[in-house]
Amino acid sequence: MIHTPPTARLRLVACAVAALAGAALPARAEQVIALAVDRDDSDDDGISDGDQATDVPTNDAAELVVPSIANEPVTVSVLGGLRVVRGGKVVPTPFKLRPDELPAPLWLQATEPSTGSRPLALLLARGEEVTRKPLHAVDLTFLDANNRPMRPALQGLAISQRVTSDASLPRSSDHDVKSRDARNFRVQIIDATATGKRIEAVLESVAEGGQARHAISVSLVRADTSQPFRSRFVRLVGDHVDRDARGVGGQVLLVGLRDTVRLVYMSGGQRIEQAMRVSRPGDELSPIAARQASLRLFVLRAVPGGPPIIGVDDRSALRLVREEIASANEIWLQCNITFGAPAEVPIEIVDPPAAGFIAVANRDGLPARGGVIQLRADGRVAPPIAIPAGSTAMDTALRIAEVLGTMGFDAQVTVNPKTVFGAAPGADVVVRRRNGKLALIDAAPGLPLTTDAQQRIDLGVVDLGDGLEEFDNMTASSGTLEERMLIKTLADDDPATIDLFIINRFTHGTRQGEAFIEASAGAIGNAVILDRTGLRHRETAWTMAHEIGHVLLNQPLHPDNVGRDRPWLLMDSDNNRGTVNGPKRLTPEECAQARDTAGAPPGVLKPYDERSAKASRKD
Ligand SMILES: [Zn+2]
C-alpha cells in the first residue's frame, strides 16, 4: 500500500479538479512518485504481482489520473521498467486514450529499480506536447539464509526452531555473512537516490485480521556505493519469551501463523513496502503449508455441579484454557500447525462422570469361570445374565450390552489393550439412555454383582476427591478404570479430533499430563489428560503443547529417554525453565513426522487458510 503524503495527495486532488474543469495542469515542480519494485504477492495467488496480467493488485502501484485537456486524445508510453494497469489489466504501451475516456485513472507498477542510467517515467503525449511524469522505483527484497532473493509468491517465512539467542543467528551485518539457521532472513534495499552507507527501514508483522502484531527498526548498511544496502539477519519467533530474548534486540520479530511481514521504507517522504507471508497457504503440500489440528477440551468440575477445577468460575476457567491454547499455538507454529483461534476451540465444563460404566476383567483380563451377573439400570432390575465358563472379557461385555439393549439402553462395548501382566484384554461397556445421558447402573438389590469367582465386574465412578488415578507401568497400554471412564464417556468417537481433559491432579502425583496415542492401538486414542498445576506453570513447562506433541508425533517416549539430553526440546521430560532455553523447540524431523499422515493420527491435520476456500468465499 502506498500512503501518499498529505502534500502529494492535495496535489492529486487539485489535478483531478483541474481536469474536471477542463483547465490546464498547474505548472508546478512535480514530486517524484516513489514505488517499490512489485515482486511480492499481495493477493496470495501464487503469482508475483509484477507478473500478473489480470486482477493486478494495486497495493504497491501508484495511481495517476490522466486529465482531459482541450478534448484532445493522449498517447501513454513509459520509460524504464514500468507497467501500466487499467481496470485491473496490464495495458501494453504505447496506447491511446480517446477524449471520451478522459480523465482516466491509471495504476503504475514498477518491475525494475531505478538506476542513475535508467530513469523511470510515464510519458503523456498530446499532439506535439509531451508531459513527463518521473517515478522512482526502489528494490525491497527479502534474502534467505544464503543471501539469495526470496520469491514471495512461491516461498514463505517460518519461525525459528533454534534457541533464540544462540549462535545460529549471525549478529554481523556484513554483506556476505550467511545464516546457519535456514529460517533466518535479512532484507536488502537498492535505492539509487540514497547516499551514504546506512539507511533505515521497519519490519512489521500484521495478523490475519489486519491487527499490527510487532514492529522492529532495521538499519541497512553497505561498505561502498557499489553495493546494495543489507540488514542483519532477522529471526521470527512465536512468543513473548523469545521476542524478549537478551542479546538479540532488533533481530527478532514476533509473528503468528499466516501473518504478513512487511518491509517498510520511506523514499522521498513516501511509504513503500514489500511483504512476505508466514508459512504457505493450506492447499499446498510444502513443509511450511499451514495446517490445523482439531482440539476439543473438557474442564472437569471437582464434584458434580461444583465449580470448575481451574479459575474461580466458569468464565475464568474458559479464559485460562483459551490462554493455554494460544500458548500451544505459539509453540506449534514451529511446524506451521495451529489449533485454531482459541475463542473458536470447543470447550465444555463438565461433571466428573459418575454412572453408566461397567468394566469387565479390569487390569487382569481373566476369563470367566462361569457365573451370573445381576444388574439394575436406572432402577430397573435386568434379567440375570448367565456367563459361561471360558468367556473372554469381550464375550461377557457383549452379553451385558445385549441385555441392556433389550431394556432400551444404548450400550457400547470397547475392548482394551492387554495390560503388561494381564492374561488377555479387558473390556468396557458404556451405558446410555436414549437421550444420551449416562444410565445409573448398580447391583440388583440384595444380590452380588456377579457370582463369577474369577472375572471381575467393576462399576465405574470418576471421583476427583483424591485426584484421577493415573496409569502405571502395568496399565500404561489400557489406562486405569478412572481414565478410561473419563475418556470413553466424554470424548467423541471422531478420530480426527484430539480430546483434552483438564483435571485437578493425578492421585499419585507422578506427572502433570498424560497422552493416549493411536500407536498403542487401544480403544482410547488422541486423548490428553492435563493436571491443572501443569497449566499454572504456563511457559515454564509448556505442558499442553508437550502432551499434544505425544499425540501429533505418535510417540510415547521422550527424546532424553532414548538419546542425548537436549533440554531445549519441547518433548524433553525434565526441563522446567521458562526462559529461551526452556523446553519448547521442535526439530525439523519432528515437524515432518507430525505433518506426515503416517505420523499424525489420520485426519487430525487439515489444511488451514486454503486458497481454494478463499476463492470460493469470494464468489
Ligand atoms: Zn511427555
Side-chain angles (χ1 to χ4, degrees):
M1 173 86 74
I2 296 215
H3 296 277
T4 324
T7 51
R9 198 187 299 273
L10 284 174
R11 185 183 58 78
L12 283 175
V13 171
C15 285
V17 171
L20 288 172
L25 276 170
R28 206 184 289 175
E30 297 247 17
Q31 188 189 11
V32 176
I33 299 172
L35 286 172
V37 175
D38 198 1
R39 279 195 271 259
D40 65 5
D41 186 12
S42 301
D43 59 355
D44 200 29
D45 65 348
I47 303 169
S48 177
D49 296 344
D51 293 333
Q52 216 167 315
T54 56
D55 298 319
V56 180
T58 50
N59 306 46
D60 300 303
E63 190 180 23
L64 194 141
V65 178
V66 181
S68 167
I69 302 173
N71 224 19
E72 277 191 280
V74 177
T75 301
V76 179
S77 57
V78 299
L79 274 184
L82 267 187
R83 300 206 306 171
V84 179
V85 177
R86 195 176 171 219
K89 289 198 179 68
V90 175
V91 190
T93 52
F95 63 94
K96 189 170 270 190
L97 292 166
R98 298 186 309 270
D100 63 298
E101 294 177 294
L102 300 172
L106 302 179
W107 290 95
L108 303 174
Q109 194 186 32
T111 57
E112 296 292 336
S114 305
T115 63
S117 56
R118 261 168 64 92
L120 247 57
L122 182 78
L123 304 177
L124 302 176
R126 289 181 181 82
E128 295 300 298
E129 186 197 325
V130 178
T131 314
R132 180 190 169 105
K133 302 215 172 266
L135 292 105
H136 177 57
V138 179
D139 196 305
L140 307 177
T141 311
F142 291 77
L143 302 180
D144 71 10
N146 290 310
N147 294 318
R148 292 176 303 211
M150 296 183 81
R151 302 169 69 187
L154 301 174
Q155 294 172 278
L157 301 172
I159 71 167
S160 178
Q161 297 174 287
R162 306 293 296 253
V163 174
T164 308
S165 51
D166 78 3
S168 67
L169 176 63
R171 310 300 202 267
S172 149
S173 55
D174 285 355
H175 183 82
D176 293 319
V177 69
K178 293 177 179 178
S179 164
R180 265 199 292 137
D181 178 357
R183 288 187 164 186
N184 294 334
F185 68 95
R186 68 200 297 201
V187 290
Q188 169 177 292
I189 295 181
I190 300 172
D191 179 357
T193 61
T195 53
K197 293 185 176 174
R198 173 183 291 261
I199 56 175
E200 303 295 328
V202 170
L203 273 170
E204 58 184 32
S205 54
V206 181
E208 276 189 286
Q211 322 87 290
R213 190 187 300 275
H214 188 205
I216 54 172
S217 300
V218 286
S219 294
L220 295 89
V221 300
R222 60 182 176 186
D224 61 68
T225 54
S226 70
Q227 287 180 336
F229 293 94
R230 284 183 176 176
S231 73
R232 291 186 293 176
F233 275 96
V234 173
R235 172 167 268 170
L236 297 185
V237 296
D239 69 31
H240 69 266
V241 174
D242 287 337
R243 180 197 62 198
D244 300 336
R246 300 168 92 184
V248 287
Q251 288 189 269
V252 170
L253 184 69
L254 181 70
V255 297
L257 190 67
R258 297 298 285 145
D259 272 14
T260 299
V261 175
R262 291 187 189 141
L263 168 59
V264 180
Y265 177 61
M266 298 299 288
S267 173
Q270 300 164 70
R271 175 187 162 115
I272 60 174
E273 61 189 53
Q274 285 285 280
M276 279 194 74
R277 299 292 296 273
V278 174
S279 74
R280 294 293 306 165
D283 51 299
E284 293 190 358
L285 295 173
S286 139
I288 61 164
R291 296 283 181 264
Q292 177 164 2
S294 302
L295 273 189
R296 243 182 101 198
L297 283 101
F298 301 88
V299 178
L300 272 293
R301 299 185 190 279
V303 293
I309 53 88
I310 52 168
V312 292
D313 54 19
D314 287 12
R315 181 197 286 249
S316 61
L318 291 175
R319 184 176 51 75
L320 289 169
V321 171
R322 297 213 152 100
E323 284 174 10
E324 197 67 23
I325 296 166
S327 178
N329 278 342
E330 292 168 353
I331 293 292
W332 280 92
L333 177 56
Q334 291 172 81
C335 298
N336 298 281
I337 291 171
T338 180
F339 304 101
E344 289 167 20
V345 173
I347 305 172
E348 291 174 55
I349 301 177
V350 293
D351 289 337
F357 193 84
I358 305 167
V360 182
N362 185 44
R363 286 177 79 99
D364 57 28
L366 289 170
R369 281 198 187 140
V372 177
I373 296 170
Q374 291 153 111
L375 291 174
R376 194 165 66 158
D378 276 350
R380 290 157 58 201
V381 176
I385 306 168
I387 306 297
S391 297
T392 64
M394 185 177 73
D395 296 337
T396 303
L398 288 171
R399 276 174 185 272
I400 294 171
E402 192 187 341
V403 169
L404 291 169
T406 61
M407 294 172 69
F409 293 97
D410 172 33
Q412 297 290 330
V413 173
T414 45
V415 177
N416 302 313
K418 189 175 89 62
T419 58
V420 172
F421 298 107
D428 299 320
V429 188
V430 174
V431 189
R432 295 180 191 278
R433 299 167 192 156
R434 288 287 178 224
N435 66 5
K437 294 244 185 301
L438 294 168
L440 299 171
I441 305 291
D442 55 9
L447 295 171
L449 197 51
T450 179
T451 59
D452 195 290
Q454 179 168 276
Q455 192 173 56
R456 301 173 57 93
I457 301 291
D458 291 286
L459 301 179
V461 174
V462 173
D463 176 6
L464 294 178
D466 60 349
L468 188 81
E469 177 85 23
E470 65 264 53
F471 64 72
D472 54 26
N473 286 340
M474 180 172 158
T475 51
S477 53
S478 64
T480 64
L481 194 159
E482 249 185 343
E483 288 167 334
R484 298 198 312 272
M485 180 171 181
L486 180 74
I487 296 171
K488 290 183 182 181
T489 59
L490 290 171
D492 59 15
D493 297 331
D494 184 358
T497 303
I498 299 172
D499 294 293
L500 202 148
F501 302 85
I502 298 169
I503 58 158
N504 51 351
R505 64 185 179 89
F506 291 100
T507 303
H508 305 290
T510 56
R511 67 204 65 175
Q512 291 191 341
E514 52 185 32
F516 296 84
I517 67 177
E518 285 293 347
S520 51
I524 301 171
N526 303 346
V528 170
I529 301 176
L530 282 181
D531 172 343
R532 67 180 170 194
T533 55
L535 303 189
R536 260 195 233 127
H537 299 150
R538 197 158 85 83
E539 275 139 23
T540 62
W542 288 283
T543 310
M544 185 187 283
H546 171 101
E547 295 301 334
I548 292 173
H550 284 297
V551 175
L552 286 180
L553 297 170
N554 215 357
Q555 172 58 270
L557 299 174
H558 299 113
D560 46 326
N561 299 149
V562 291
R564 80 189 163 94
D565 194 19
R566 286 173 290 171
W568 59 87
L569 292 183
L570 177 68
M571 300 315 292
D572 180 271
S573 64
D574 55 9
N575 175 3
N576 271 335
R577 277 173 290 185
T579 66
V580 289
N581 296 308
K584 60 192 296 196
R585 312 294 165 189
L586 285 151
T587 66
E589 295 73 28
E590 285 170 331
C591 289
Q593 191 179 344
R595 297 172 61 89
D596 180 357
T597 46
V604 163
L605 289 186
K606 298 194 172 55
Y608 175 80
D609 196 26
E610 288 173 274
R611 269 190 304 234
S612 50
K614 266 187 278 179
S616 59
R617 272 204 301 276
K618 238 187 260 171
D619 293 342

